[in-house]
Amino acid sequence: MPTPTKSIPRGVSLIELIVFMVVVSIALIALVGVYRQATINNADPVIRLRALESAQSLLDEIIALKYDEATPVGGIPACRNTCTNAPDDNMDDVDDYHNFSDEPYPNYERSVSVTTANNIKLVTVSVTTPTGETFLLSAERANF
């Protein structure tokens, strides 16, 4: 006489199926959140690079100019008591860029500040991006 065999259930119960769907849903939500954040911040490096290049190009342009209106071409001899430290409309020396501002690209704002202390001019270029970030680059220009 054959012995009865137990039947092994095959398949998935409803509870197991629901638990599986909940676990997969939670994992999918986390992955979609990471993907969404990466997509939103994808353009940030391009925006930052454009802002830094814009600030650097203007700073290089300003630092290459004469120290002062009274400074001779080549910078020698350095202006002593004749230094004016006052901006004019010629844009041919460092002081002329004080309070200068422009928009190098749409929605980018660039401004310049020039301060003088101990015969050294501190030139600061500020660029504000469309995302609201502000980048500052500074350099000193000596009287020589």
Side-chain angles (χ1 to χ4, degrees):
M1 177 161 189
T3 58
T5 59
K6 291 184 179 179
S7 66
I8 299 173
R10 305 216 187 269
V12 180
S13 70
L14 182 60
I15 293 175
E16 291 171 334
L17 186 60
I18 291 172
V19 168
F20 173 77
M21 288 176 20
V22 167
V23 169
V24 169
S25 297
I26 291 171
L28 188 61
I29 288 171
L31 286 174
V32 168
V34 170
Y35 179 73
R36 180 180 170 273
Q37 189 67 27
T39 304
I40 289 172
N41 293 331
N42 192 23
D44 283 353
V46 174
I47 292 171
R48 291 180 182 135
L49 183 63
R50 181 176 274 186
L52 287 172
E53 286 176 342
S54 170
Q56 185 67 53
S57 68
L58 183 58
L59 187 61
D60 290 345
E61 178 183 328
I62 295 169
I63 292 300
L65 296 174
K66 298 188 303 184
Y67 177 83
D68 187 79
E69 193 67 38
T71 302
V73 176
I76 298 172
C79 68
R80 297 284 179 228
N81 298 333
T82 59
C83 293
T84 60
N85 292 330
D88 58 28
D89 293 332
N90 296 337
M91 303 304 265
D92 61 350
D93 62 88
V94 175
D95 289 321
D96 296 341
Y97 279 88
H98 183 62
N99 290 331
F100 172 82
S101 64
D102 68 349
E103 192 173 297
Y105 303 106
N107 299 321
Y108 285 78
E109 296 177 21
R110 182 169 64 176
S111 61
V112 179
S113 170
V114 179
T115 57
T116 305
N118 299 326
N119 272 345
I120 294 179
K121 294 183 181 181
L122 176 65
V123 180
T124 304
V125 178
S126 169
V127 178
T128 303
T129 66
T131 59
E133 289 181 289
T134 301
F135 293 90
L136 295 173
L137 290 182
S138 297
E140 293 179 338
R141 178 71 162 84
N143 183 12
F144 62 87

